[in-house]
Every structure is written in structure tokens, then in C-alpha cells.
Amino acid sequence: HMSVPTHKGPWRDFLDVHITNLASLSQIPTLVDKLNSEQASVGKKIRTFRDKNAVTPAVQAGKELLDNVETTEASRRQLQLELDQYRQSATDMHNKLSPLASRIKELEETKEYLTLLLSVRQLRDDALSILASAQEDGLDPPAQSQSSSSSTPSSTPIANTHSPKMPGPRPLSPSPSSLPGEVPLVRPHMALPPLLRLIDIQHALQKDAPPANTNEPTTSHILANFRAQLDSYVREVADGLEARLKADYKKCLEALGWPTPMPRAGYDEALLNRFRNIFTHMLVLQLSLQNRGTISSDGDLWVLSLLVQPLNMRFYFHFTGTQPTARTDKPEWPLHHVKKSVQDHTPFLLTVVQPLLQKERVVLYNAKMEFIRGITQAVLVKFRGDLPSVLASPGQLLHSIKEFLAFEKFMRATHNYPTPLGDNIGADIDMQAPDDAIMHDSPQGAFQEAGRFPSIMQVMEENENIFAKWIEAEIQLASSSLHNIITRDAAWTPYLGETLADVDALKPTRAAHQTVDLLAAVTERYRYLAHPEHKLAFFNEIQKYLIWQFHNNIQVLCGSGSGSGPSPSVRGLVSFAWSGSTGWDTDQIFHCCNLVNSINYLIVVMRDWGDQLLFLDMFVLIRNRSKSTRHLDDAPLGTVFDEMLQGYKLLRKDLTTMMEEVVLTNFTAHASQYFKRRKLWVGYSSQMGQPDEQDVSPEFCEPLLILKDQLETIQKYLTDKRFDKFWRSLASRVDAHIYKQVMTSGHHFGSGGGARFARDMRALRLLFRSYTSHPDSFFKATKDLATIVAMPNADAQTLAQNKGAILENHGIHKLTLAQVADVVALRVEDDSLM
């Protein structure tokens, strides 16, 4: 045996890789061939490198490459030297040219500044020259009005002013209305194009202003002085043009006879064209200045303010001061004057003024609304001055409030005047603005802002002391009104009368209906107040008070509340309710139903009002107040009426339960003889023959008739929904009472008596068929009782011994096995009765 070497080496590794088992020994010849081939290849390469002829070309190529590298490095060093010399030369040149470049820049800036200064001064001089020499605006003849208006600033192109470099002033073109050879007509509005170019330069300088930390104080100082000078030019020209156009506008209005209403035949067309031209020029001037930020966009339109101005002067003359018409106890006089002024001038506003606004694409202004707004401002001034004397008399204060509310209601209904909440804004015109419509950049100037349109009622909210006196007077008035409502003789009778009660499904009483009207009137008095806190104060201090007072008065009428006592109309009802009388007559049922209907009517109204936006906003306000005491998300959802609804529902339940007690007591009192006569159920044997199936025990007829009569009376007076719940609850109580009476009175039944009892109970159930097609569902206990006592005795005994499954087969659905056994124990054999 040969020993196998154990040291590791290349051969050992090679064998470990390729010889893994006995089967791989067959690969040895192939491996040997492969190794021999690799050995031959390596030997060939070694012989090649040992041959000097083969290596010499490669060595020569390497030497040449090294020479090239040395040559290139020498060239690089030469270029670096030349570059350093060029940089030094360039630096010297830059140092020599920099002062010259700075001087040239200063000269160019000076030239641009002088050019711009001359342009600005020329524009200002041109505008002032036009204003000084211009004739009255708007006097172009009708045939030439179109060409004249073509020179208005709305169609004048403005040069691109992004850079302060401005071209020289353009010469003003002569008015198209002048003939060749004639002196051109000059109008004030022709000063607007140079004014707008001045404003554009102003904006360009603001946009290109140097940084605040600039190192050129001289330039900054020059620009600051130039801007100040330019601002003064713009203000000077704008004020002059505004004053001139307003003066011409007032003259034009005087020529029209304003503020005399438009004559039926209309104005002269030449006067109207003159008005249209100057109106447009003033409108374009103001909107151009607003859009460029030269003037505030919060103000009114000049053209509309000047229309209102003479009317307000006339208003102040007649209704302020010592004039006989300036009486504080007659607020309806100035309000009627305002209504007539609006009515008289509406045709002119809608047919002349509003089309001009729309033509200039100023669609977010309504001429009529702005006109009313302007007059209302004068009314507010008048009533603010009258308040001290008005507050001294609560009656006069309430009269003024009444007139204020009537006026605002008229203005909203007739003229769609916006409320402080912004309702109905722009209802008179098409509010669909075109894409290029002129709008304000500032939201404060937007037409839709509700605060732009004052309400006369806001004089009552401007001072907390004034508001407190107002609400105090309102409380006194509301309390007095409620007292009158609930103390009238017919207060608790149906609002539509007994014969027409079915017309209104809720069947409210006069007191309930008038109380709701009173609550609605209170709501209208504060609905459009501007401050949510004031609305909530009205609700808490007046409406909640009235609702609880109405609730408490019904409690007094029922004898369960505090007060001076019930009214004569319901004294008998209260007397019975607490004296244990044996029954009610029709009048007492009638009055009790009316009280339930009154409560129910208030409940329905409060539920409906609770979903209205006004009261939802109040609820949100109350929830927001609770943020300091608990997390807002934890506040329960509901309405501001929830607490009152809970109290009213409880009172309605108490009254309904009392009615059930009365009807049930009346029924059981008259049925007492029926349950006391034991022979009634045991005195009939199977040998005595069966009575007619429709036969009812004589003792049970009277209570059935009384029950039927009272149910029909209650159905007549009570609402359908409340009666439906009433008879269901009553049926359940009658069912429980009869079952208890039979089971606890020691009665026994023979087969004949059980059949009679079953017929009596069937008659009771049939009485309720007028209200439901399945009366058996409401008398399950007595039906099961009657079924058991009427079946043969053997079947009853078998029934008592079986399990619950057989009960369903015999029609027993309510009673348990134990109760069935108790009922079966009441059965007796007929023989024992002989």
C-alpha cells in the first residue's frame, strides 16, 4: 500500500475540487489532457519573452513616449509664463479704465435722470395746461360723442413702463371733433392720459428701487427726491382733474334739474349724452387711480356720491334742526320721504346710470343699492341725534323701532336692499361678470361686503346702554302681549274653531297660535342685527322667557303650577283632576285636549325653528362659549330649544297621562258591577244554550259605550298623531287592568261563563277597530285569558300540563306557562255549579 500525502498544496486543492467521489475518477484522463494543454500555453509565453527581438520594439516605443512627455511639460511652463504676463497687463489696463467707466456710468445715469425728469415735468405741464384751458366737459354734440369718447383713457394705450427709461412725451392729438384749421377743442378728461403715464412711471420706480443697504447714498438721495417730486406731481394733477370733473359733473346735474325726478317724457337727449360723457370720464378716472393704488379703493364711487349729495342736503334741511318736520315722535315722516325718493329716482338709476356702469364693465356696483345706501347714511345721522329724547320714553322708543323695522322690511321686499348679513345683494342686476370686468384689488372695496350697506337698526347696537334700554322696553311689551293673549276668554279654544279644527292638523288654540306669532314677531325684530351677541341676548331674555311663561301658565291651568289659579274655562277640569271625581264631561275633555294641542304646537314650532340658520348660529355661539370649561368636540349636538323642548314634552306627557287616568277611571268605575257579579261567569252552563255571538253582557254595555264616547270625543279634539299615541297607551292600560281585576278578584269560570267573557272581550277589542286593523295586538293579555276560559275544560287542563310550544297552537301569545296555569285554576266544572 502507498501512503497518501497529507500536506496541502495546489494539487491537493485541485483534486479536492474535481475528484469528489469514486464516480468522478473516470474524469481523470480528461483532467490530465486539460492540464497538459495549459502547461504548453504557459511554456510558449515564457519562450516569447526570452526572445530579445520580440521585446526591443516595445522598449523603443516607451522611450519615445517619455521624450514626448518632457517636450509637453516644457511647452506648459512657457505658456504659464506668458499667461502670468497677460494677467498683469490686463490688471494694469483695468485699473486705468475703471475711473473712466465709472464716469461714463454717472454721465449715462445723469442723462437718463434728466431725460426722465424732463418727461415727467412735461407730462405734468401738459396735464395742467389742459385743465387750465379746457372747456366744460361733456359738451360734445351727440353725433360726435362716439369719436370724442374714443380719446378717453380707457382706450388710450399706455407705454411699457417696467424700466425707468421713458420715451419723451407724446404730443396731444387734437380733438376729433375739431375741423382742419380750427383750434382743437380741449376737454378736462384729456388730462387723464398724461396723468396715467405719470402714475406708471411712479410704479416703475417703486419696482426698480435700489436695495436699502446700497453703497451709493448720492443715487438713493436723488431717487428719493425724484420720487417725492413725482408724487407731488401725481397728487397735483389728480386733485386738479378730480376737482374739475366734479365741478363739471355738478353743473351737468343742475342742467338736468337734479334732484327733481326724471320727467315722464325723459330728458333731452343732448343733456343725457353730456351726462353720459362726464359720468364715464369721472368713473374711469376714479377706477384708474384705485387700480394703480393712487387713491384708496374703500371709498364710494364719486359719480354716485354726487347724485346722493343734494338729496341728503334736502333731507337734512327738512328733518334735522328746528324744522316743523323734524319731530322725534314722528319717525315715519323721514322714512316715508326716503321711500318716496327711492321710488321717484329708481327709473333714472336703472335706465341711465346702471347701463353706464355695465358699459364700463363695472358690474360689481349696483347704482340703485348705492343710492339707497347713501340716503340711509343721512337717515342714520338724523336718528343718532334723536336717540337721547327717544330713549326717555319707552313708548316712543317702541314706536320708532316699529317704524324702523317696517321701513327695512319694505326696502328688502320692494327694492331688494341688502341686509347686514349680505342677503339679496345685487338682485336687481345680472351679477355674472365678464372676464375683463373691472374689480377692486382690495377686498374692503368689494361690492359684496355686507358692512357697506348700513341698516337703520344699527343705531340701536352702537351703544350698549342704548341696546339695554331697547331690550328692556321689548321685554315689557312682550310680557304685556303674552298676558293679554292667555287671559282672553276664548284663549284656549281652537284657533280655527271647532268646526274647522281639521283644516290645521296641529289644531292649535288661539293662545298657542298667537303666542307663536308673538315669538315670530320678536324674531323678526332681531333677525337682521349685526352682532350675534345681541341676537342671543334677545333670544335669552325675551323668547326663552315667553316660552317658559306660556309653559308655566298651562301648568297653572292644570293645577300643577304656581300662580293665581286657573281660569274659569278650565276650573272644572282642574277640580276633577285633583278631587278624584268619577268622570269628565265633554267640555272638560275638550279643554284638556286643547291644552295638550297648545303644548304640542309649541313643541312642533320649536323643533322646526331649531333647524333654521339663525338659531343654529346661536347654538354654535353657545357651544363656542363652552370652550373654556370643556372641549368643544365634547359639547352635545342639539338646538337652542332643547331645554324648553324637554320641559314641554314632560308637561305634555303629564297631561296625556292625566287624560288616560280619567278615561280609565271612568271605564273601571262603570265596569265595577260587571266584575262584582260572580254569577255572570259561572251562571252559564253548557246545558243552558249559547247566546247569540253578538250578545254582550248587559253590565258591560254601559262601560263600553262610555269608553267609546270619550274616545270619539278625544279623537275629535286631539291631533291625529297625539290621539294615535293616546289610544295605544290607553288600550295597553285597559288590557292590564282587566287582566289584573280578573286574576285578583277570586272569579271562576264555567264553560258558558267563559264563552260570555270571551264575547265581552271581543266586543272591547272591536271598539278599537276604528283606530287599527289589528286591535288584538293591544289586548294580548285579555285575549289569552278569554281564550283559555272559553275552551273546554279538558283542553284547558291539558294546556296547563304541556310545555310552551303548544301555547302558540292554541293562540296563546302573551301569557307564560305559570300565568296559564293560574288562569286554568279559575276554571270550574259545570256540575259543581248545579
Side-chain angles (χ1 to χ4, degrees):
H1 298 281
M2 296 180 63
S3 60
V4 179
T6 59
H7 64 277
K8 294 184 178 181
W11 286 103
R12 179 62 181 269
D13 295 338
F14 180 81
L15 293 176
D16 289 342
V17 173
H18 293 88
I19 307 299
T20 57
N21 50 44
L22 294 178
S24 59
L25 293 176
S26 60
Q27 304 293 330
I28 290 178
T30 304
L31 293 176
V32 171
D33 293 339
K34 181 178 179 182
L35 291 176
N36 290 335
S37 176
E38 291 178 357
Q39 181 180 7
S41 176
V42 172
K44 183 178 179 180
K45 292 179 179 179
I46 293 174
R47 288 192 298 272
T48 300
F49 283 109
R50 288 177 178 175
D51 188 358
K52 293 183 179 180
N53 295 330
V55 176
T56 301
V59 173
Q60 185 65 31
K63 291 180 178 181
E64 293 177 357
L65 179 60
L66 182 59
D67 293 339
N68 291 336
V69 170
E70 292 176 353
T71 303
T72 302
E73 176 62 21
S75 299
R76 185 193 67 77
R77 286 194 296 268
Q78 180 64 30
L79 290 174
Q80 182 65 42
L81 180 61
E82 295 176 357
L83 178 60
D84 292 341
Q85 294 175 353
Y86 174 77
R87 284 178 177 174
Q88 183 62 39
S89 176
T91 301
D92 296 340
M93 183 63 68
H94 175 73
N95 293 334
K96 293 179 181 179
L97 295 179
S98 291
L100 298 177
S102 298
R103 183 61 178 166
I104 293 173
K105 182 179 179 181
E106 291 177 2
L107 293 175
E108 290 178 349
E109 290 179 351
T110 303
K111 177 183 177 182
E112 291 179 0
Y113 171 75
L114 294 175
T115 302
L116 186 58
L117 181 62
L118 291 175
S119 299
V120 168
R121 182 166 295 180
Q122 183 64 46
L123 290 171
R124 174 248 192 183
D125 293 342
D126 289 344
L128 294 180
S129 176
I130 292 171
L131 293 177
S133 60
Q135 302 177 17
E136 185 176 342
D137 201 5
L139 290 176
D140 294 338
Q144 298 166 349
S145 60
Q146 181 176 359
S147 61
S148 175
S149 63
S150 64
S151 61
T152 60
S154 60
S155 60
T156 301
I158 304 298
N160 182 5
T161 58
H162 180 70
S163 172
K165 298 180 180 180
M166 293 292 297
R170 295 176 297 178
L172 292 175
S173 302
S175 173
S177 61
S178 59
L179 297 176
E182 294 183 354
V183 177
L185 295 177
V186 180
R187 303 293 187 215
H189 72 268
M190 296 173 66
L192 184 54
L195 171 61
L196 296 183
R197 294 181 68 191
L198 286 174
I199 296 174
D200 290 336
I201 296 174
Q202 188 182 43
H203 285 182
L205 287 175
Q206 292 173 354
K207 187 179 299 184
D208 295 337
N213 59 350
T214 179
N215 295 322
E216 301 179 6
T218 303
T219 303
S220 299
H221 179 69
I222 292 175
L223 288 176
N225 291 337
F226 180 74
R227 289 195 191 95
Q229 188 66 36
L230 180 59
D231 291 344
S232 66
Y233 287 169
V234 170
R235 187 71 266 164
E236 180 183 11
V237 176
D239 290 344
L241 181 56
E242 176 186 345
R244 180 59 187 274
L245 288 177
K246 285 184 176 180
D248 292 348
Y249 187 70
K250 291 179 180 179
K251 291 180 182 179
C252 181
L253 290 177
E254 291 177 1
L256 288 171
W258 187 265
T260 303
M262 177 190 288
R264 291 188 176 183
Y267 293 112
D268 179 77
E269 190 63 25
L271 289 176
L272 280 181
N273 284 334
R274 177 183 173 190
F275 173 81
R276 293 187 182 102
N277 286 337
I278 191 171
F279 184 98
T280 301
H281 299 154
M282 281 191 63
L283 183 63
V284 172
L285 170 64
Q286 182 179 6
L287 295 179
S288 299
L289 297 178
Q290 286 180 346
N291 290 337
R292 287 166 170 80
T294 305
I295 61 175
S296 172
S297 59
D298 296 344
D300 303 331
L301 289 180
W302 298 335
V303 288
L304 299 179
S305 296
L306 293 177
L307 284 177
V308 177
Q309 192 176 81
L311 286 163
N312 285 347
M313 293 178 61
R314 180 181 294 180
F315 179 88
Y316 290 136
F317 174 80
H318 287 294
F319 299 108
T320 59
T322 59
Q323 294 295 328
T325 52
R327 294 174 52 176
T328 59
D329 62 334
K330 294 293 183 181
E332 58 270 26
W333 288 359
L335 296 178
H336 177 74
H337 173 81
V338 171
K339 289 192 287 187
K340 190 175 186 306
S341 296
V342 174
Q343 180 180 357
D344 291 343
H345 294 90
T346 293
F348 178 77
L349 295 170
L350 296 183
T351 61
V352 178
V353 178
Q354 188 62 42
L356 292 175
L357 293 176
Q358 293 176 321
K359 181 180 179 182
E360 294 300 322
R361 305 184 302 281
V362 188
V363 297
L364 297 184
Y365 280 93
N366 185 327
K368 181 179 175 182
M369 296 302 107
E370 295 293 328
F371 180 83
I372 299 175
R373 172 178 172 270
I375 297 181
T376 304
Q377 297 283 6
V379 178
L380 287 174
V381 173
K382 182 258 189 306
F383 285 126
R384 286 193 187 102
D386 292 347
L387 269 182
S389 60
V390 172
L391 292 174
S393 171
Q396 188 173 340
L397 173 62
L398 292 175
H399 174 65
S400 297
I401 295 297
K402 177 183 177 182
E403 294 299 328
F404 292 170
L405 293 171
F407 173 79
E408 293 202 336
K409 182 178 180 181
F410 173 83
M411 299 305 286
R412 288 192 301 268
T414 306
H415 301 292
N416 291 313
Y417 184 69
T419 69
L421 303 178
D423 301 352
N424 305 327
I425 294 180
D428 281 357
I429 61 174
D430 181 9
M431 296 303 295
Q432 183 64 37
D435 295 336
D436 56 349
I438 298 176
M439 304 181 184
H440 293 289
D441 295 331
S442 173
Q444 286 78 13
F447 173 78
Q448 289 90 337
E449 186 185 1
R452 280 179 46 81
F453 297 92
S455 165
I456 297 180
M457 291 301 299
Q458 76 184 49
V459 299
M460 308 304 300
E461 297 187 84
E462 293 173 347
N463 183 286
E464 289 300 324
N465 293 330
I466 294 175
F467 180 78
K469 291 185 178 181
W470 174 29
I471 203 169
E472 180 181 351
E474 291 287 355
I475 292 174
Q476 295 177 359
L477 176 63
S479 300
S480 175
S481 300
L482 181 64
H483 178 75
N484 293 334
I485 288 173
I486 62 180
T487 56
R488 291 171 183 162
D489 291 337
W492 303 102
T493 58
Y495 172 69
L496 296 175
E498 294 183 29
T499 57
L500 297 176
D502 291 337
V503 175
D504 192 334
L506 296 176
K507 300 180 180 180
T509 60
R510 296 176 186 273
H513 190 276
Q514 292 171 1
T515 298
V516 170
D517 287 345
L518 176 61
L519 293 171
V522 173
T523 301
E524 293 307 313
R525 296 177 89 80
Y526 71 82
R527 178 183 296 276
Y528 297 110
L529 294 182
H531 299 287
E533 293 289 347
H534 290 165
K535 296 179 182 180
L536 188 59
F538 256 89
F539 176 78
N540 286 331
E541 298 186 35
I542 300 180
Q543 284 186 305
K544 286 184 69 173
Y545 168 79
L546 294 176
I547 293 173
W548 281 121
Q549 280 297 103
F550 188 80
H551 172 277
N552 296 338
N553 272 276
I554 293 181
Q555 280 188 322
V556 172
L557 291 176
C558 299
S560 59
S562 60
S564 59
S567 65
S569 61
V570 291
R571 189 168 293 139
L573 167 64
V574 176
S575 175
F576 163 75
W578 303 109
S579 64
S581 178
T582 58
W584 277 0
D585 57 25
T586 302
D587 288 341
Q588 290 170 316
I589 294 177
F590 168 72
H591 288 304
C592 189
C593 290
N594 287 337
L595 292 180
V596 174
N597 290 341
S598 299
I599 299 170
N600 188 65
Y601 187 63
L602 267 292
I603 290 175
V604 172
V605 170
M606 285 190 286
R607 281 176 177 170
D608 180 60
W609 287 3
D611 294 332
Q612 294 182 10
L613 182 60
L614 172 65
F615 297 104
L616 288 176
D617 289 341
M618 289 185 189
F619 180 72
V620 172
L621 179 61
I622 295 173
R623 289 185 66 199
N624 290 338
R625 285 179 170 180
S626 66
K627 293 169 83 172
S628 58
T629 58
R630 60 180 177 179
H631 195 276
L632 183 61
D633 295 337
D634 298 334
L637 297 177
T639 70
V640 291
F641 295 100
D642 286 348
E643 180 184 358
M644 293 167 282
L645 282 171
Q646 184 178 1
Y648 268 73
K649 289 179 181 178
L650 182 60
L651 181 58
R652 182 179 64 183
K653 180 180 179 181
D654 292 343
L655 269 178
T656 306
T657 301
M658 184 174 69
M659 289 179 61
E660 293 177 10
E661 291 285 353
V662 169
V663 176
L664 180 62
T665 302
N666 202 14
F667 171 76
T668 56
H670 287 84
S672 61
Q673 295 301 320
Y674 175 73
F675 292 104
K676 288 180 180 179
R677 295 188 62 178
R678 186 170 179 272
K679 291 183 179 181
L680 180 65
W681 295 330
V682 299
Y684 288 91
S685 64
S686 57
Q687 288 79 15
M688 296 176 63
Q690 296 295 336
D692 185 76
E693 291 185 358
Q694 303 299 326
D695 186 22
V696 179
S697 300
E699 295 84 353
F700 201 56
C701 288
E702 183 181 4
L704 285 181
L705 291 176
I706 291 175
L707 178 61
K708 179 177 181 295
D709 181 65
Q710 290 193 334
L711 282 173
E712 289 176 349
T713 301
I714 294 173
Q715 183 184 22
K716 177 181 178 182
Y717 296 127
L718 207 59
T719 64
D720 293 342
K721 185 175 181 180
R722 300 317 312 169
F723 177 73
D724 185 65
K725 294 184 177 182
F726 174 83
W727 74 256
R728 290 170 184 266
S729 178
L730 178 64
S732 177
R733 298 183 66 177
V734 170
D735 181 55
H737 173 79
I738 293 177
Y739 179 80
K740 180 180 179 181
Q741 186 73 21
V742 171
M743 298 303 296
T744 60
S745 299
H747 295 295
H748 293 82
F749 295 88
S751 59
R756 175 172 289 277
F757 178 78
R759 285 193 296 274
D760 293 342
M761 294 302 103
R762 180 175 181 273
L764 174 64
R765 295 194 300 273
L766 289 176
L767 186 150
F768 285 83
R769 187 174 288 276
S770 301
Y771 318 124
T772 176
S773 58
H774 301 286
D776 294 356
S777 302
F778 302 93
F779 293 90
K780 292 181 179 180
T782 54
K783 182 177 180 298
D784 289 354
L785 174 62
T787 300
I788 297 173
V789 300
M791 67 174 51
N793 192 49
D795 293 343
Q797 296 299 330
T798 302
L799 185 66
Q801 298 172 1
N802 284 276
K803 299 299 182 181
I806 199 173
L807 297 180
E808 297 286 340
N809 299 333
H810 286 81
I812 308 301
H813 303 285
K814 173 74 173 178
L815 301 183
T816 64
L817 281 172
Q819 291 173 324
V820 169
D822 293 339
V823 174
V824 172
L826 302 179
R827 295 293 305 268
V828 295
E829 294 290 344
D830 291 338
D831 295 340
S832 64
L833 302 175
M834 300 302 294

